[in-house]
Amino acid sequence: YCESYHLPWVHPDLNRYSRIEDHYPIMEDGIGAGQGTTVFDYSGTAGINLPQLPMWPEPKKAVAEYIALYPNVLLGLQVDHLFAVLLTPLAPNRTRETMRLFFVDDAAMANEHASARRSVREGWKQVFGEDVAVVEGMQQGRASDAFDGGAFSPAMDQASLHFHRWIAERMRAVA
C-alpha cells in the first residue's frame, strides 16, 4: 500500500481523476511513506459537494496525500475527508483491514450530504477492492521458492524500499 502502483489496468476509475503521472513520493524517516497527488478531484468528478477544511489553501484544494504510518496505519487526506485504514495481522497469510472515514465538521453529517458520504465510501471500497487480487498475487509470488528477492524500481518502489529499510533498521537494533 505504500507504493505508487495505481496503474490504469488495476484502477481504471481512479486513474480518470488521479493519474500516476500526477503523483509525487512522500518519505518521512522513522514515520512512514506514501504518495501525494496534485490533481485529486474525486468530489468534482463525482458531483459531490461536502464541507471542506476551511484552512486548506485554495491553490492546494486538488492536493491529496496518502501515507502509510509504519507499520500498519494508512491515511488518506483530501480537502473534504480523511480515511484511516488499520491493518491487523491475523496470520502470516491473513490481514484484516478496518477503514474509517472522517468528514469535515458536523455539517457533513447532515441528511443533505448522505448520498455524498455514501459515494465517497463506495468509491474507496471500490479502489481498495481492486487492490485485493493484486496484493494477494504479489504475496503468493513472494512466498514462492522461485522468488529471489526481486529488484526495486527507482520509478515505482521508492516508498516500498523506504519501508524495507525501516524494518531492517529495527531488526538491526534488536539483533
Side-chain angles (χ1 to χ4, degrees):
Y1 285 108
C2 59
E3 80 309 288
S4 299
Y5 287 161
H6 292 300
L7 302 171
W9 55 89
V10 176
H11 296 294
D13 290 332
L14 176 63
N15 278 272
R16 286 187 299 124
Y17 55 87
S18 183
R19 302 169 309 160
I20 194 166
E21 58 264 30
D22 299 318
H23 289 95
Y24 56 89
I26 299 170
M27 277 159 288
E28 295 293 329
D29 286 339
I31 297 172
Q35 63 181 319
T37 180
T38 58
V39 296
F40 189 86
D41 188 24
Y42 175 73
S43 296
T45 302
I48 294 171
N49 186 19
L50 285 164
Q52 298 180 349
L53 289 166
M55 72 292 269
W56 201 291
E58 188 65 37
K60 295 193 174 200
K61 290 219 172 170
V63 171
E65 295 191 336
Y66 308 95
I67 300 172
L69 296 179
Y70 301 153
N72 64 332
V73 176
L74 310 175
L75 298 175
L77 180 61
Q78 294 76 214
V79 69
D80 59 3
H81 70 281
L82 163 78
F83 69 73
V85 178
L86 177 63
L87 304 173
T88 306
L90 303 174
N93 62 347
R94 188 165 168 80
T95 300
R96 175 185 300 126
E97 295 181 10
T98 306
M99 182 178 81
R100 296 287 186 258
L101 283 169
F102 303 90
F103 296 97
V104 178
D105 201 73
D106 289 339
M109 301 315 292
N111 286 339
E112 68 186 274
H113 297 298
S115 65
R117 291 190 312 272
R118 257 191 316 277
S119 181
V120 169
R121 183 185 69 232
E122 293 306 313
W124 285 119
K125 279 177 65 176
Q126 178 178 337
V127 168
F128 292 139
E130 291 167 346
D131 285 333
V132 172
V134 175
V135 171
E136 287 176 347
M138 180 190 67
Q139 290 170 343
Q140 289 170 354
R142 287 183 177 211
S144 167
D145 291 339
F147 181 65
D148 65 359
F152 288 108
S153 159
M156 300 296 287
D157 292 318
Q158 294 175 40
S160 294
L161 178 58
H162 191 267
F163 179 69
H164 284 244
R165 287 181 174 152
W166 182 84
I167 292 289
E169 288 170 13
R170 269 123 197 98
M171 291 176 70
R172 188 174 23 250
V174 297

